Amino acid sequence: MNSSRYKGNRGEEIAVRCLTSKGYRILQRNYRSRFGEIDIIAANSQYIVFVEVKLRREDSRVSPVEAVTRAKRNRILQTALCYFAECPTQLQPRFDIIEIWEPFPAEGTYRVRTIENAFSLEVGNGIF
């Protein structure tokens, strides 16, 4: 397994633990469409949440949330539309980013921050 995939898996495992501790059910991981991939799709009684997970080292020049570019957000939104076509739901969609800071040196604890409603599915955001 290459190092970036290993790092991605580690970040996703941390994010899954965070989500399940908040009462979310994990519906799918690494959902793919022709547009891209969504790291985690989770749900609670109110929301279906499409989660982008970004893990960065503490000494990184770019924060995890800054790494989710407009192009990446648009790919996630388009992929979510594909998911809805396959799995209709009455739940309110939400797009979150879970940013994870890896301690540097690799000792200590990870810092995790969930950014709820980090972006939204709206007309005029460039995908319609």
Side-chain angles (χ1 to χ4, degrees), residues 97-109:
I97 297 172
I98 295 182
E99 61 175 11
I100 303 168
W101 292 99
E102 182 178 36
F104 180 77
E107 301 159 359
T109 58

Side-chain angles (χ1 to χ4, degrees), residues 30-75:
N30 305 115
Y31 175 81
R32 287 180 174 81
S33 78
R34 66 188 180 106
F35 299 107
E37 177 182 343
I38 296 173
D39 294 330
I40 301 170
I41 301 172
N44 64 13
S45 61
Q46 186 177 3
Y47 293 102
I48 183 165
V49 183
F50 300 91
V51 181
E52 176 66 13
V53 178
K54 286 295 181 190
L55 179 117
R56 292 288 186 267
R57 287 182 12 168
E58 287 283 348
D59 63 345
S60 177
R61 292 176 188 242
V62 176
S63 74
V65 73
E66 290 173 321
V68 185
T69 63
R70 180 177 184 190
K72 177 66 173 175
R73 291 190 307 266
N74 284 340
R75 288 192 301 273

Side-chain angles (χ1 to χ4, degrees), residues 72-124:
K72 177 66 173 175
R73 291 190 307 266
N74 284 340
R75 288 192 301 273
I76 292 167
L77 293 167
Q78 290 173 315
T79 301
L81 291 173
C82 292
Y83 180 84
F84 287 136
E86 292 177 18
C87 305
T89 181
Q90 296 299 313
L91 296 173
Q92 176 71 34
R94 194 176 78 205
F95 297 87
D96 292 0
I97 297 172
I98 295 182
E99 61 175 11
I100 303 168
W101 292 99
E102 182 178 36
F104 180 77
E107 301 159 359
T109 58
Y110 290 84
R111 288 188 300 125
V112 179
R113 181 173 76 130
T114 301
I115 303 164
E116 295 183 357
N117 288 311
F119 51 97
S120 61
L121 184 59
E122 295 174 355
V123 173

Side-chain angles (χ1 to χ4, degrees), residues 19-26 42-44 47 49 94 96 116:
L19 289 162
T20 56
S21 74
K22 294 177 181 179
Y24 288 90
R25 298 182 322 281
I26 305 303
N44 64 13
Y47 293 102
V49 183
R94 194 176 78 205
D96 292 0
E116 295 183 357

